[in-house]
Amino acid sequence: MDLPWGEETTKQFITNVGLITSNGPYGHDIMACEWTHHISYSPGLIAVCINPKDATRANIAKTKEFGVNLCASDQNVLSSIAGGSSGKSIDKIGALKELGFKFFKAKKINVFMVDGASVQLECKLVNKIKLGDHTTFVGEVIEAYPLSGKAPLVYYNQKYWKVGDNIPKPSQEELDKINSVIEKYKK
């Protein structure tokens, strides 16, 4: 069964927006990547799922490196531009710079990083997996920058959102009650 983009089922997933930066056959590029995931603490691993038609896929496959910049809540315009055209035909970095967005050179890899992003990580490719209609690139974090203090942009129902009210975890009293019930059902 397919889960097509834009259908009600797929709109229910809540994600961040990864701004994936790369350099390779299509030059310096940036794309908005809804499927950007932290998948391991030790070593620090990040997975990004990219359409085989995207310039970023070719760049990463060639150079074996990429930047992960989690879009901050004030970077919705940047995300729309990065996700709205192809690096095969548009110099998105050049266009974004002209519009006033700032980038800086990564320390350990040959890509630009997004100034003011919520999180900025440099990654070296450790695995490439074809999964369905996308390629999953797994990168090991080799450099992390100080946090900007900005909340990440949230993507839900094909719209951008800010992180809202905190929903508290259960109280210690509630957790104790839950644990006493769970104890009764140990196998």
Side-chain angles (χ1 to χ4, degrees):
M1 165 173 199
D2 291 342
L3 294 173
W5 186 86
E7 288 200 356
E8 290 307 310
T9 301
T10 58
K11 288 182 187 179
Q12 296 310 301
F13 289 89
I14 297 173
T15 62
N16 56 26
V17 178
L19 298 170
I20 310 306
T21 50
S22 63
N23 188 15
Y26 292 101
H28 284 284
D29 192 33
I30 183 170
M31 72 168 287
C33 182
E34 181 182 349
W35 298 332
T36 302
H37 311 282
H38 175 207
I39 60 170
S40 173
Y41 292 114
S42 183
L45 298 176
I46 306 294
V48 294
C49 302
I50 300 175
N51 188 312
K53 299 175 193 162
D54 288 339
T56 299
R57 188 220 173 273
N59 280 357
I60 295 172
K62 177 74 172 173
T63 64
K64 314 287 190 258
E65 61 187 25
F66 56 96
V68 173
N69 307 266
L70 292 188
C71 200
S73 59
D74 64 351
Q75 294 177 320
N76 57 316
V77 171
L78 193 159
S79 175
S80 292
I81 295 166
S85 55
S86 172
K88 290 181 176 180
S89 58
I90 303 291
D91 174 2
K92 293 186 273 185
I93 300 280
L96 286 163
K97 284 180 177 179
E98 185 171 327
L99 290 168
F101 294 99
K102 293 183 169 70
F103 297 86
F104 62 91
K105 178 77 180 81
K107 293 178 185 175
K108 296 182 178 177
I109 61 176
N110 186 23
V111 304
F112 289 115
M113 303 302 286
V114 178
D115 190 41
S118 178
V119 172
Q120 300 146 326
L121 307 167
E122 296 180 26
C123 297
K124 283 285 192 181
L125 185 65
V126 295
N127 204 349
K128 177 176 99 171
I129 310 156
K130 173 123 175 59
L131 295 171
D133 58 4
H134 280 61
T135 301
T136 299
F137 291 99
V138 178
E140 182 172 352
V141 177
I142 59 169
E143 184 70 40
Y145 294 84
L147 298 178
S148 68
K150 296 179 182 179
L153 187 68
V154 177
Y155 190 70
Y156 165 69
N157 200 18
Q158 296 181 306
K159 297 176 186 161
Y160 297 128
W161 301 85
K162 288 183 181 181
V163 175
D165 297 330
N166 174 259
I167 308 296
K169 290 183 176 182
S171 68
Q172 189 58 52
E173 183 180 321
E174 291 170 303
L175 289 172
D176 291 343
K177 182 179 176 183
I178 291 166
N179 286 333
S180 68
V181 171
I182 289 171
E183 280 295 315
K184 290 194 264 182
Y185 290 92
K186 274 191 172 178
K187 294 182 180 181

